Amino acid sequence: MKKWKVVSTAVTFGKFHKEPVKRLEEIGCEVMINPFGRPFTTEEMIKYGKDADALIVGNDKVVKEAIDQCKKLKIIAKHGVGVDGIDIKAAHDRGIIVTNAPGTNCQEVADCAMGFILMLARDYYRAVFETKSGKWIKRPGISLYQKTIGILGLGNIGTAMAKRAAGFDMNILGYDIKERQEVRDLGVKYVSLEELLSNSDFITLHLPLNDGTRNLIDSEKFKMMKKGTILVNTARSQIVNSEALYKALQDETLLGYATDVYDSEPPVRQPFFDLPNVLLTPHEAGTTFDSNKRMGNTAVDNVIAVLTGKEPPFIITVK
């Protein structure tokens, strides 16, 4: 039996569920699991991946330099959805297949985004801390009922978010380059970006990162928002301009901001991190025991298909 080498740089691959790793081992793969608890640097990716047949990557930057040095590589499988960190063209130029695992954690990311909204709207994060500290302070929060939520990006995650918002009897505005009837059937009204930003009490981001979305939420976009808007970002940090964000948090354009995504991991500390109306989590929105198993098995489905000469189920093409 041929012995393939699979290197996983994804922090959570094989961490909570061993089934995906065992599946690779059963077909004759030598599997290396991320030993660092963080994304690989380019140098580490080259060092450990230079003789690998497959890479399973998480939030690592997979750049052309690393791709060119991994001479045996046949597939780069994303343990997750977004592939903006992978130089797809460089991979395809070398005949390397790129795949992802769509839909495997969309419900969990939507859960996180709705949780952020509840925490900020009701000031739960501060109430818990104060009550445990022996204080007894009651503050009025903001109701979700019949308020307006704006969802930017209505793919799998944005659609899951719309279902949750409908359960709270919220008015739902949506913005996307592609409109779908199944989304309208959930009660979503498609509007322009300007109309969404101007009329939403809560805004949640579920867009991919590309040239059209990078720094999309800048100072001009913040000027369109109502005073006291709550903004949640479980998509990509670079969609929001950090300097404009800091100003919007200080001048009360934003009542609060919550994010699970950063420019790097662990992140370089930003000034807005220290503001009391900001919530931060360590890019774990899509991580539960259940979703980790789904992501791992889908990544492995892609890897096994390529290594055994079949077409993978979730292949990424160059646009």
Side-chain angles (χ1 to χ4, degrees):
M1 179 183 289
K2 179 176 175 57
K3 192 79 170 179
W4 291 292
K5 181 175 180 180
V6 179
V7 172
S8 173
T9 67
V11 173
T12 60
F13 177 78
K15 183 174 182 181
F16 307 119
H17 278 282
K18 301 303 180 185
E19 179 183 309
V21 177
K22 290 179 180 178
R23 289 179 60 206
L24 290 171
E25 291 173 341
E26 285 170 358
I27 68 158
C29 294
E30 172 192 341
V31 185
M32 175 187 165
I33 302 298
N34 184 323
F36 304 117
R38 56 162 174 76
F40 276 33
T41 64
T42 296
E43 292 74 20
E44 289 164 348
M45 194 168 291
I46 293 170
K47 177 181 177 181
Y48 295 103
K50 61 185 177 183
D51 59 348
D53 296 281
L55 287 178
I56 297 175
V57 301
N59 300 309
D60 318 86
K61 301 297 182 185
V62 189
V63 299
K64 184 178 186 299
E65 179 187 356
I67 291 168
D68 288 343
Q69 291 296 317
C70 297
K71 305 292 187 183
K72 295 177 61 181
L73 204 56
K74 301 169 181 65
I75 176 174
I76 300 170
K78 176 64 186 281
H79 187 248
V81 182
V83 293
D84 49 275
I86 303 171
D87 190 329
I88 298 170
K89 183 179 183 304
H92 286 182
D93 286 347
R94 292 217 31 246
I96 299 167
I97 292 172
V98 179
T99 64
N100 69 344
T104 51
N105 64 2
C106 61
Q107 303 300 330
E108 288 76 14
V109 176
D111 287 345
C112 177
M114 185 55 77
F116 276 152
I117 287 173
L118 285 166
M119 288 179 72
L120 288 168
R122 300 294 300 275
D123 217 359
Y124 283 146
Y125 63 99
R126 183 162 56 166
V128 169
F129 176 79
E130 289 177 344
T131 305
K132 292 181 73 171
S133 300
K135 298 178 182 178
W136 194 255
I137 304 171
K138 296 185 180 183
R139 296 185 182 86
I142 298 172
S143 301
L144 273 61
Y145 176 66
Q146 294 190 342
K147 294 293 174 59
T148 297
I149 185 171
I151 304 174
L152 274 70
L154 285 149
N156 289 331
I157 299 172
T159 300
M161 191 65 187
K163 292 177 180 178
R164 285 154 178 76
F168 282 86
D169 286 328
M170 302 181 80
N171 303 311
I172 312 170
L173 302 180
Y175 171 78
D176 205 317
I177 57 174
K178 182 180 180 181
E179 298 185 10
R180 296 183 295 146
Q181 186 58 45
E182 65 179 286
V183 173
R184 289 194 183 92
D185 291 343
L186 295 171
V188 177
K189 179 184 178 183
Y190 281 104
V191 295
S192 68
L193 178 59
E194 291 74 16
E195 185 175 345
L196 184 149
L197 296 176
S198 300
N199 291 284
S200 297
D201 302 294
F202 306 91
I203 297 171
T204 180
L205 305 180
H206 303 289
L207 297 164
L209 179 65
N210 53 45
D211 291 340
T213 63
R214 192 180 304 275
N215 285 315
L216 177 67
I217 308 300
D218 57 11
S219 57
E220 292 303 311
K221 302 301 192 308
F222 279 117
K223 289 176 184 176
M224 297 177 187
M225 296 180 190
K226 298 179 181 180
K227 284 284 186 181
T229 297
I230 286 174
L231 177 64
V232 168
N233 186 4
T234 55
R236 288 291 184 264
S237 61
Q238 297 96 327
I239 294 172
V240 181
N241 181 281
S242 59
E243 292 182 8
L245 170 65
Y246 186 64
K247 184 176 184 298
L249 286 162
Q250 290 186 308
D251 68 15
E252 298 181 350
T253 296
L254 292 183
L255 177 67
Y257 177 69
T259 188
D260 184 58
V261 288
Y262 308 91
D263 293 353
S264 61
E265 297 186 14
V268 175
R269 194 162 196 85
Q270 300 290 319
F272 72 84
F273 284 16
D274 296 317
L275 297 177
N277 52 345
V278 171
L279 301 182
L280 308 171
T281 52
H283 203 169
E284 63 180 13
T287 303
T288 66
F289 287 106
D290 306 282
S291 65
N292 185 255
K293 183 178 181 179
R294 290 194 297 270
M295 282 191 291
N297 276 324
T298 302
V300 167
D301 288 343
N302 287 317
V303 170
I304 290 176
V306 170
L307 295 184
T308 56
K310 301 179 180 66
E311 182 172 317
F314 299 108
I315 193 167
I316 302 294
T317 58
V318 175
K319 296 182 179 179

